[in-house]
Amino acid sequence: MEFEIWWLLSIPIFFGLGWIAARIDIKQLLSESRSLPKGYFKGLNFLLNEQPDKAIDAFIEIVRLDPETADLHFALGNLFRRRGETERAIRMHQNLLLRPDLPPEQRMQAQYELGQDFLKAGLLDRAEEVFQELTETAYSIQARRALLEIFQREKEWVQAIDAAKALQNSGTGNRNKQIAQFYCELAEDELVNTHPEKALPLLETALSTDRMSVRATILTGDALVALGKPEEALATWRRVEKQSISHTVLVAQRLMEGFQSVGRPQEGISLLKSYLSETASIDLLEVLFKAVLKQEGVEAANTLVHDELRRTPTLLGLDKLLEAQLLVVPPEIREDLSFVRNLVQRYASRLSRYQCSHCGFEARQFYWQCPGCHQWETYPPKRVEEMKLSS
């Protein structure tokens, strides 16, 4: 009972202490707010009202009157950079770095912001220099991410591999898919320069890094063809079906040409038909249509397209059916049918694009890296119309 009485008596005491502490905090807050220049609140108000031009003018006036306000320098520099005024942002952050009294934490922040300015301005060499200096600081992860972006822009794939591995080792997540793509870029360079023997080890490393890398598998087959090993290339390309059945469309033309080169075109047609039965694809149908037309004739090609259009009705498929029909219709109606096909093609062409799943950027050809957002493996191997049907 005594304990309960003491506990009840202590409540007013704690309440009084809390009231005193709150009064002290309020007084301190009011004191600090009075010490801030009026222009600060004016600039803040402009920002809140989405008026960056007026906010910049207000902040510039404060910096002119009080050059020691480092935080305002940062805010102003970031505003300039967002507006695309990179020269002014660079000057703002460089001026900060010239101050001998700038604390170490703010000096590192100013360096990082300056690197971002250079990056936004496209001054990649200067940005790289700044970020390299920050790799062993508290801004290590941010700096390494920026360096990875720079190396990709410059197509410095060896350095990009090192940067991605360093980021992965710092605990920022798995980057094996990205690293495998960098090895593929190196391998493609070797293939372009007719060095398939140098490309193969790079592709082996890519596949050991990411065993599901469709691109590495496709390029391995290309290297084997260049080395005069078509049977090994065919066996390699067929691995794509185990990695991703939808990506077999990317290797369909290679497979068909490969089977034709070894004298087994019918085997290639049968294989592509099995792929088409598992994954509807206008691009796969295109390759198969041409192969069937060449090997089995017009009627067989026409039947193939007709059956596929019934299974998956699309404008792109209709265009292919009209192409097949033009091969068999009487001359007197060919002109009218050709006119209809031209109309269909006009509308179908808008749907015959690939679309990035990350940023929505559309392209006529398939990309491993999106030209819009620069993300890797964000393009599904299907056209826009096919994606809409499957969603």
Side-chain angles (χ1 to χ4, degrees):
M1 181 65 71
E2 290 180 3
F3 174 76
E4 291 179 359
I5 293 171
W6 164 247
W7 185 79
L8 290 170
L9 289 173
S10 67
I11 291 176
I13 297 171
F14 287 129
F15 178 81
L17 290 172
W19 183 81
I20 292 168
R23 293 279 294 177
I24 292 170
D25 287 342
I26 291 168
K27 284 181 179 179
Q28 185 177 351
L29 182 62
L30 289 171
S31 174
E32 289 177 357
S33 66
R34 288 192 191 102
S35 67
L36 288 170
K38 291 181 180 178
Y40 176 83
F41 296 103
K42 188 188 293 184
L44 191 59
N45 187 53
F46 285 136
L47 277 181
L48 292 172
N49 290 315
E50 297 183 358
Q51 295 176 282
D53 291 341
K54 293 182 178 180
I56 284 173
D57 292 338
F59 288 144
I60 286 175
E61 181 63 18
I62 299 170
V63 170
R64 187 182 66 80
L65 296 172
D66 184 6
E68 301 301 308
T69 51
D71 288 338
L72 279 177
H73 276 74
F74 285 128
L76 201 50
N78 287 337
L79 279 172
F80 284 141
R81 188 169 68 236
R82 287 179 190 174
R83 284 165 49 89
E85 299 181 54
T86 51
E87 288 185 14
R88 298 180 78 179
I90 288 168
R91 285 201 305 272
M92 189 67 64
H93 293 126
Q94 283 177 332
N95 287 339
L96 268 178
L97 288 169
L98 290 174
R99 283 174 46 179
D101 62 330
L102 196 66
E105 287 183 8
Q106 289 188 328
R107 184 168 296 278
M108 280 188 290
Q109 184 182 350
Q111 276 186 281
Y112 176 72
E113 297 296 344
L114 180 61
Q116 290 291 342
D117 297 337
F118 287 142
L119 191 58
K120 182 71 179 287
L123 303 172
L124 301 185
D125 289 343
R126 297 178 72 177
E128 180 182 343
E129 185 179 340
V130 170
F131 289 128
Q132 288 286 10
E133 293 176 3
L134 292 170
T135 53
E136 301 302 326
T137 69
Y139 283 83
S140 172
I141 291 176
Q142 296 97 313
R144 291 186 191 280
R145 283 188 180 131
L147 285 169
L148 181 56
E149 181 183 343
I150 291 169
F151 295 143
Q152 289 183 78
R153 283 202 208 175
E154 294 180 328
K155 300 189 183 301
E156 296 288 348
W157 303 117
V158 173
Q159 290 174 283
I161 289 167
D162 292 338
K165 286 180 177 177
L167 273 172
Q168 186 167 268
N169 293 336
S170 66
T172 58
N174 189 303
R175 293 182 178 267
N176 284 341
K177 282 187 177 293
Q178 202 173 19
I179 293 168
Q181 288 289 347
F182 298 155
Y183 279 111
C184 287
E185 291 287 342
L186 290 170
E188 269 203 341
D189 289 342
E190 296 294 352
L191 288 172
V192 168
N193 294 315
T194 63
H195 296 141
E197 72 286 350
K198 293 181 180 178
L200 279 176
L202 292 166
L203 294 167
E204 287 173 8
T205 306
L207 283 165
S208 66
T209 304
D210 176 20
R211 64 184 182 83
M212 299 304 288
S213 174
V214 171
R215 187 186 184 189
T217 301
I218 294 173
L219 290 175
T220 300
D222 293 349
L224 290 168
V225 167
L227 290 168
K229 301 177 179 179
E231 291 287 1
E232 289 183 41
L234 286 170
T236 300
W237 287 327
R238 290 200 59 173
R239 291 182 204 151
V240 172
E241 64 190 74
K242 295 182 176 63
Q243 293 173 313
S244 170
I245 190 65
S246 62
H247 281 79
T248 52
V249 60
L250 302 179
V251 80
Q253 186 65 42
R254 288 174 170 86
L255 281 165
M256 200 61 240
E257 290 175 359
F259 278 112
Q260 287 172 344
S261 71
V262 296
R264 303 200 307 274
Q266 205 59 46
E267 187 178 335
I269 289 173
S270 298
L271 180 63
L272 296 191
K273 281 183 177 179
S274 71
Y275 290 164
L276 191 61
S277 67
E278 291 188 61
T279 175
S281 166
I282 190 63
D283 293 315
L284 186 53
L285 178 62
E286 172 83 23
V287 175
L288 192 52
F289 170 75
K290 290 179 180 177
V292 171
L293 182 64
K294 181 179 180 180
Q295 297 299 322
E296 301 176 10
V298 175
E299 287 299 330
N302 190 43
T303 301
L304 169 74
V305 177
H306 192 272
D307 291 345
E308 185 58 25
L309 184 61
R310 280 188 170 182
R311 186 169 75 101
T312 312
T314 62
L315 271 179
L316 295 169
L318 177 59
D319 173 54
K320 188 53 56 185
L321 177 63
L322 292 171
E323 181 184 348
Q325 290 290 321
L326 282 168
L327 298 172
V328 296
V329 296
E332 60 268 20
I333 65 169
R334 191 170 296 158
E335 185 177 346
D336 289 340
L337 193 60
S338 180
F339 175 74
V340 172
R341 190 195 173 203
N342 288 337
L343 285 176
V344 171
Q345 275 187 318
R346 190 181 304 171
Y347 288 98
S349 63
R350 301 173 188 174
L351 302 170
S352 63
R353 298 171 184 266
Y354 296 102
Q355 186 176 53
C356 174
S357 61
H358 184 262
C359 71
F361 188 91
E362 293 186 5
R364 291 191 178 277
Q365 69 182 76
F366 180 87
Y367 287 101
W368 292 105
Q369 184 184 29
C370 175
C373 63
H374 307 294
Q375 297 294 311
W376 291 94
E377 298 187 37
T378 54
Y379 274 93
K382 289 183 178 292
R383 304 288 178 171
V384 170
E385 186 181 17
E386 294 170 314
M387 293 299 295
K388 287 179 179 178
L389 284 174
S390 59
S391 63

